[in-house]
Amino acid sequence: AAVLACLLSHPGDMVLTEYYKGGGSSVIGSLQRIVGDKGLGGLFLGVKARLLHVIGILWVQLVIYDSMKQLLGLPATGH
């Protein structure tokens, strides 16, 4: 779910970042500038780095979760 949310929210974050940088006179103007300069793929620039970040956080959380379960004497997930 987190990966899907990351993929779905990334274009909006790109537009808002461009807008806050002053790259457009409005949010719609920022969207038009990104798409005009880089095509629709411009809305997904940096998504790989963001996915690595999110997946890394999820992995660490799951490892900590399983470790805590084992410390409490409970079986690890999947056992």
Side-chain angles (χ1 to χ4, degrees), residues 2-63:
V3 171
L4 182 61
C6 177
L7 291 172
L8 293 176
S9 66
H10 193 75
D13 290 341
M14 287 294 294
V15 171
L16 288 177
T17 299
E18 181 73 14
Y19 174 70
Y20 292 139
K21 286 189 331 186
S25 58
S26 66
V27 172
I28 298 297
S30 297
L31 173 63
Q32 291 171 337
R33 179 179 169 138
I34 293 170
V35 173
D37 290 349
K38 300 173 182 137
L40 286 176
L43 294 172
F44 291 93
L45 290 175
V47 76
K48 288 179 189 176
R50 187 173 181 183
L51 283 171
L52 284 174
H53 176 80
V54 168
I55 290 168
I57 290 171
L58 290 172
W59 180 79
V60 168
Q61 287 175 340
L62 290 174
V63 167

